[in-house]
């Protein structure tokens, strides 16, 4: 049995969204120069004498951060081409290539080992956010991602799920991205003059690499949500003008052989809009906005949102259709 509570549709697009990352200061290879001056008077003349110029070239800090779109992906036993979507960001101060490695066997803390596909790492070439035929496979040493400071690339790790995995089991798959100039468990380690433009390369706070895992959760039931919208403006058109109404419809469907118990739906009211009081419906039946005997509520704190209690859902429950509206401020 699977328990799914207060499923936030609006939040799905944000889970695991890449964290704000910033390069480590002045770009590698930058020359910092300084010349001192001494001024003095000889009789009626002012004389200025310059020192020699002191110059230093900024070294490269090697740092990287990995984030994941969805830390847990729901799967079925025997499933193939199940994906985990990562984003790699170069948080060092120079342009750097990164070596990528995927690992699914022996990752600590899970119940089974996913089976890495061959190849197992892909670039999100079509920028779709998921695995598709257009995505280019990663080949170590041939197309290592080369990222400028602050630049990012989206990567997809693909696994199969063993038939022996049972409901509730979790399997982990790990991605490692290591700076080609060097990485070390000891921040501050120098790798010599191998950095961007031939400057010294030094391991930063991350050691020059990033490691992150995602999980596959085996479940005998899967809930999916499909959201659509229709705009009606005050001039009988469909333009997103201030004052126009956006009618949202979300269809929640259960698939699989199991039951999702105590399922709940929530959706944050978008910024720059106002909820239309009394617009909440479930399967065509109006729901009140207050916490009373029916399944729906509108709450204003900590953030405005609508909530609908869906109860126990299985494939036999059929689609659950939630509707509500907002106006554009």
């Amino acid at each position: 049995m699977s328990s799914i509570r207060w499923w936030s549709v609006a939040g799905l697009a944000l889970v695991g969204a890449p964290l704000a990352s910033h390069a480590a200061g002045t770009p590698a290879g930058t020359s910092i120069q300084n010349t001192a001056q001494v001024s003095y008077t000889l009789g009626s003349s002012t004389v200025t004498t310059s020192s020699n110029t002191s110059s230093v070239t900024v070294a490269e800090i090697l740092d990287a951060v990995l984030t994941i779109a969805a830390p847990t992906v729901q799967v079925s036993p025997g499933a193939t081409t199940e994906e985990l979507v990562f984003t790699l960001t170069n948080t060092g101060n120079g342009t750097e290539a990164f070596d990528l490695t995927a690992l699914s066997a022996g990752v600590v803390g899970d119940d089974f080992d996913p089976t890495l596909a061959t190849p197992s790492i892909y670039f999100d070439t079509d920028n779709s956010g998921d695995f598709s035929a257009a995505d280019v496979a990663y080949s170590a040493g041939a197309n290592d991602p080369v990222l400028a400071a602050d630049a990012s690339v989206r990567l997809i790790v693909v696994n199969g799920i063993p038939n022996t995995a049972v409901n509730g089991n979790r399997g982990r798959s790990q991605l490692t991205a290591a700076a080609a100039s060097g990485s070390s468990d000891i921040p501050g380690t120098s790798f010599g003059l191998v950095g961007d433009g031939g400057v010294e390369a030094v391991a930063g706070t991350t050691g020059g690499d990033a490691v992150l895992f995602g999980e596959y959760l085996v479940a005998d039931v899967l809930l999916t949500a499909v959201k659509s919208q229709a705009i009606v403006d005050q001039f009988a058109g469909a333009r997103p003008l201030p004052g126009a109404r956006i009618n949202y419809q979300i269809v929640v469907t259960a698939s699989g052989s199991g039951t999702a118990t105590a399922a709940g739906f929530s959706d944050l009211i978008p910024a720059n809009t106002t909820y239309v009081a009394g617009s909440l419906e479930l399967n065509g039946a109006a729901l009140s906005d207050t916490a009373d005997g029916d399944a729906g509520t509108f709450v204003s704190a900590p953030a405005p949102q609508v909530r609908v209690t869906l109860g126990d859902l299985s494939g036999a429950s059929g689609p659950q259709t939630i509707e509500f509206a907002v106006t554009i401020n």
Side-chain angles (χ1 to χ4, degrees), residues 19 21 63-67 87-91 206 209-210:
L19 300 176
S21 302
D63 270 324
V65 170
L66 277 170
T67 58
T87 297
L88 168 65
T89 302
N90 176 13
T91 53
T206 68
D209 61 9

Side-chain angles (χ1 to χ4, degrees), residues 165-252:
V166 299
N167 193 45
N169 279 177
R170 292 178 181 267
R172 291 179 173 177
S173 186
Q174 178 176 287
L175 178 64
T176 299
S181 295
S183 62
S184 171
D185 292 335
I186 304 173
T189 299
S190 174
F191 303 101
L193 302 178
V194 295
D196 193 4
V199 300
E200 182 181 10
V202 179
T205 55
T206 68
D209 61 9
V211 182
L212 187 64
F213 68 80
E215 285 190 334
Y216 296 106
L217 172 63
V218 177
D220 56 9
V221 63
L222 173 66
L223 293 189
T224 58
V226 177
K227 188 172 187 177
S228 59
Q229 65 185 30
I231 301 172
V232 180
D233 68 38
Q234 60 270 50
F235 305 107
R239 295 163 295 183
L241 304 171
R245 174 173 171 141
I246 306 175
N247 296 307
Y248 290 115
Q249 182 186 82
I250 305 93
V251 179
V252 177

